[in-house]
Amino acid sequence: MTAIYRGFKGRVAGSASFQEASVPRVFAHLSFVERVPLVLVAVSAVLVGVGASWKGFDFAWASALMPAAVIALMATIAWVYTVKRPDPRLAEGARATIGLLLVTNVMMPLSYLAMAMGGPLWDDRFLAWDRAIGFDWFAYAAFVNQHPVLIEVLRFAYQSMLPQAAIAALLLPALGQGERLKIFIAGFAIAAMITIFVSAFTPALSMWPLVPDAAARFPNLDPAAGFVHVPHVLGLRDGTFTTLMIVGGEGILTFPSFHTAFGVLLIHAFWATRWYVRWPFLALNLLMIAATPIDGGHYLVDVIAGGAIAGLAILLATAASRRGVAATVRVPAALPETAPAR
């Protein structure tokens, strides 16, 4: 028995805290907060299946092959660094990447079904609400249009959402912020679910499709996501778009702004890190939020609602984190020497 233990210990000697560390299997001992996104993904998958059948949608299965392959790769990496060569930080990063991919790829078709529910567009109402709180979208766009450097900075920040998510999955565990990462993934899933639910009852096109002579009025602006969603939204609403997909889907939701929600979640995720990590991510995500009216065509009320949803998601994910941590298998610091059996 002693020989077996020593051999096992030698294989994982690279971990200085091994004797106190947990050695959970890949998914069997997930903490409560890690289960939250998986449960929401499962609920979303059921809703997609039921909704697609009800609305007569097809599913482009080929669009799921690449995400499925990446998830399988991440699951393999998580297994290796959980079971074969225990490294909690690498395992956490792999599991977080799986969570991000599952939430993104399962909730994408769910957002399409939400838009297909129809109902009157809320653009006029959102624009009126913006004016009621003193925000002039046209003045803001005109200001940005006059500053070419600001245009490029905002576009870069707006398009940084997914790269930032990948960086968070790798960097937070390396910085010892694994629990913050779990809260971020759970908050991401919660915020996405709430955003999709709300948007089903408040559909909108966004500002850019409604701006007359946009190219002439704002010649320097080329919004990153100002128009790409429009054919999908209109097709979903008139019944001509009937194929759900993962790769090839667009961000089609206007209210609330999910870019804003994601930015607030990232700010919270990196807030507990050292200043030289915290402040650059704070600046980048504030710029991403500032870019949403321009590159995403969002109304200010979209931004406000997205921030509120992120705050709620953080509160719920933090509460889930406090429910407990993963079950652990502890290895004793020493085993008593026993005389060989005679």
Side-chain angles (χ1 to χ4, degrees):
M1 179 67 182
T2 303
I4 293 174
Y5 166 66
R6 287 173 177 166
F8 176 70
K9 182 179 178 181
R11 284 161 47 198
V12 292
S15 174
S17 60
F18 174 74
Q19 294 176 1
E20 295 296 328
S22 62
V23 191
R25 292 303 179 235
V26 182
F27 298 112
H29 300 287
L30 296 180
S31 62
F32 184 79
V33 70
E34 290 179 287
R35 295 171 187 169
V36 169
L38 298 182
V39 170
L40 292 179
V41 164
V43 171
S44 298
V46 171
L47 291 175
V48 168
V50 173
S53 177
W54 173 45
K55 300 290 288 186
F57 276 77
D58 299 318
F59 191 84
W61 290 104
S63 70
L65 294 178
M66 182 59 71
V70 177
I71 289 171
L73 175 62
M74 289 297 106
T76 302
I77 292 173
W79 176 78
V80 168
Y81 288 110
T82 301
V83 178
K84 289 296 185 181
R85 299 178 59 185
D87 188 319
R89 295 182 177 184
L90 291 176
E92 282 177 349
R95 289 199 303 270
T97 304
I98 292 171
L100 285 169
L101 290 170
L102 285 173
V103 172
T104 302
N105 291 298
V106 175
M107 293 193 184
M108 172 70 76
L110 184 60
S111 70
Y112 273 56
L113 289 171
M115 184 59 70
M117 290 182 63
L121 292 172
W122 282 53
D123 291 274
D124 290 342
R125 195 173 308 185
F126 293 150
L127 185 58
W129 289 354
D130 271 7
R131 289 171 175 165
I133 60 177
F135 180 71
D136 187 336
W137 186 93
F138 292 94
Y140 184 54
F143 171 79
V144 176
N145 182 68
Q146 296 171 359
H147 298 83
V149 174
L150 180 59
I151 292 172
E152 297 303 320
V153 169
L154 291 179
R155 181 181 294 116
F156 172 83
Y158 188 83
Q159 295 176 327
S160 72
M161 186 173 78
L162 293 181
Q164 283 196 77
I167 291 170
L170 297 174
L171 186 57
L172 286 172
L175 296 175
Q177 296 295 328
E179 198 61 26
R180 279 274 174 155
L181 178 59
K182 295 172 187 176
I183 292 171
F184 168 66
I185 302 298
F188 171 53
I190 294 168
M193 200 72 169
I194 296 174
T195 298
I196 292 169
F197 177 80
V198 173
S199 69
F201 301 96
T202 57
L205 273 178
S206 77
M207 272 299 298
W208 281 112
L210 307 179
V211 176
D213 302 320
R217 295 184 68 172
F218 307 109
N220 297 323
L221 297 182
D222 181 20
F227 301 95
V228 293
H229 65 296
V230 175
H232 290 203
V233 171
L234 296 179
L236 288 164
R237 289 176 58 78
D238 66 19
T240 59
F241 193 109
T242 59
T243 301
L244 300 178
M245 65 189 73
I246 294 176
V247 176
E250 299 288 347
I252 61 173
L253 305 182
T254 295
F255 181 90
S257 165
F258 192 67
H259 259 80
T260 299
F262 204 82
V264 174
L265 288 167
L266 282 166
I267 289 171
H268 178 265
F270 283 100
W271 193 253
T273 61
R274 298 291 184 92
W275 65 268
Y276 50 80
V277 177
R278 176 195 310 137
W279 296 115
F281 276 97
L282 173 64
L284 179 57
N285 284 289
L286 289 177
L287 286 169
M288 183 169 72
I289 293 169
T292 56
I294 302 302
D295 285 283
H298 282 282
Y299 306 93
L300 182 60
V301 291
D302 302 344
V303 176
I304 295 171
I309 286 174
L312 175 60
I314 289 169
L315 288 175
L316 293 175
T318 302
S321 174
R322 291 170 179 164
R323 284 286 302 268
V325 295
T328 58
V329 178
R330 294 193 177 276
V331 178
L335 289 179
E337 295 289 341
T338 57
R342 293 185 181 275

